[in-house]
Amino acid sequence: MEIDDRPVPDVIIAAFCRLVDHLDGKSILDAAAGMATIFQGHRVIAQNVPVARQRIKSLLNTDRHLDTYTTVLLRCAAGLANDVVVVLSDVALRIGFSDLASYFGEADFLASALLDERKSVRDLAHEFIAKWDCTNSDNARREAAAIATRFNYSSFFENVKGLLGDDLLSVSHMHGDHDQVAKHKQDKVLASVKSELDRITKKGEREGKGFQDKITGKQKEIDRLSNDLLAIRNQSKIRDEELSHANRENAELQSSLQQGIEQGVRNALSAKLRQWLVPAMDVERVLEGARQSDLVCQVVEALERQRAADLHYGNRVALTLLIEERRRLLAEIQRARVEALNPLPELRGIAVQLEREIGDLVGCLGLPGGEIGTSTSGIFARINEAQSLDELSKVRQFIQQAAVFELFGVVDLNLLYRAVDSKAGFLYDKAELLSEHEAGHPKSRFFLRQALARGYPFRLFIDGHNVLFALENIFGQYFVNGLPEAKARVALTDRLDRVFDKPGPDVLLYFDGNDQNQHTISDQMRVMYSGGTGKHRTDEAILANLTYLTQSGSSTPICLVTRDADFARQAREMGVNIIDPREFAVSIDL
């Protein structure tokens, strides 16, 4: 505890507690208005005074500062030392402070001095405490000191009284009128407490009235706004009805106009038809004669006779036409599967049947199989048709495996990853998987962008050099002799720091390094150097960290960005989500 921002020894706090024992029940009941916590959970009645007394002692032992209400209440306690301090003047106390403390007992006398309203008296007490060895002030020593000073006390008091006049009461008078002075003091303190409580109560009533007036004003404003909103809604309803009526009239006018146009065209044709019908018939007869003698007609006729004479030739031509027709239909089916917002499930089966029939027909003709349909368009169709994240996950795994063997170009691969990411976002929004399973691992690997946007926690391990080599088209300008230099590491670190700038992710970017150390880039990102020698140093450091996290039972989702197949397999067996560097770059717009 501190008084005047100065510490108070425990022995003086114990003296305060003894003063609490001398408080009468009425004083404690009167103090309940300003110290509500001392009766918290109990009624303010005489039977509960012991509970309040114990809580006041607890406050004295736990609070850092002695509050005003507790100070005023302790001044009500009866005690000889307290009465002497209140009666004596500043000069008298300064002259005989040490003797008075020894006579009445240091702890009790100092407690009374620290409760005095005069700061000069409290300063005298603090000065005495600074020089006082409270650890050796036991009862025997205090009693011996008190006996030694009582003999000189009367003469000391008379001298002080002669110096100060009537400001100082004699010891005998103080002892004789002890009860009367104590009662006078107590009444004075209680009157002060009641006056302060009345002032606080009136202030609270004034502030309460002000708050009530503000609430009334706000309620009137709310009522006014509600009426305005109701009027606006009624006006909007009227406008909607007027708009609907106008739309109907417009539709009727459009229909009437169309009918008028058609009737006018018919009338115009009837009037003009006679003028050009006969010449047109003459032109048709001339054209028919030209057709009969035209070389094209001769070719067509010759081909027809060739088909009739050579069945094999006719069948091949028919099969070729069937193949072309099926290829055209297959292209339409593939376009529908890719572009439809909600493609029908049976389109996939139809496409498979068409591909099978085209293959059979091509085989019958003995022609090379060729490319029935582009592989990328088929994959785009499968992505668009996925109805769940599990189906999309299988397509994603196929793309990753194909990327390892470089079966796709960089442009096609980026487009496929973007299509997968877009479809995954659509499925997440549709199923709201993240909001349902935010405490555990997500059901699919497609959560990085969603988790980053929504601030969900996850751990992301990045094999730095692996990413730099995989994204050489981005960071190749920092390569020397085909190897990434320090500028490449800095560029990758800066880009990731700009991406992961919000709470949620815990990003660990690993690089090979002879000395094992780490650098904190931000609250979300750290750069780790593996240390050691030899190959796969970074892989071993990441696997050690993953092993520790999985064995500790961490529920935070974990991702690993790498294109090392063997390393990815070991991490995947631990339940880690594997992300290809190119897919990672597309997902976070690197």
Side-chain angles (χ1 to χ4, degrees), residues 421-432:
D421 183 70
S422 176
K423 186 65 176 183
F426 171 79
L427 293 177
Y428 270 120
D429 292 338
K430 181 179 179 181
E432 297 182 353

Side-chain angles (χ1 to χ4, degrees), residues 35-69:
M35 301 172 66
T37 57
I38 64 175
F39 279 98
Q40 188 173 7
H42 297 78
R43 296 171 58 192
V44 184
I45 57 177
Q47 287 82 349
N48 293 328
V49 167
V51 175
R53 199 186 303 275
Q54 188 61 35
R55 288 186 176 175
I56 295 173
K57 291 181 181 181
S58 177
L59 292 175
L60 290 171
N61 284 287
T62 57
D63 285 357
R64 182 177 178 183
H65 298 285
L66 190 63
D67 61 83
T68 304
Y69 289 107

Side-chain angles (χ1 to χ4, degrees), residues 27 35 62 66 231 274 340 433 473 490 500 580:
S27 299
M35 301 172 66
T62 57
L66 190 63
R274 299 184 184 88
L433 288 178
N473 59 322
V490 173
F500 299 102
D580 184 87

Side-chain angles (χ1 to χ4, degrees), residues 168-185:
L168 181 65
L169 294 177
S170 66
V171 176
S172 61
H173 177 71
M174 181 180 65
H175 281 283
D177 295 338
H178 173 273
D179 294 337
Q180 183 178 357
V181 172
K183 186 175 184 307
H184 175 71
K185 276 187 7 178

Side-chain angles (χ1 to χ4, degrees), residues 503-550:
D506 181 13
V507 181
L508 287 83
L509 176 60
Y510 277 81
F511 292 110
D512 291 330
N514 294 328
D515 298 326
Q516 183 179 3
N517 57 72
Q518 68 177 19
H519 301 286
T520 299
I521 305 301
S522 65
D523 292 340
Q524 292 79 35
M525 182 174 173
R526 289 171 289 167
V527 176
M528 319 288 290
Y529 288 91
S530 61
T533 59
K535 297 182 178 179
H536 306 295
R537 290 174 285 168
T538 297
D539 298 355
E540 294 173 357
I542 294 176
L543 283 176
N545 202 340
L546 292 176
T547 302
Y548 170 77
L549 290 175
T550 54

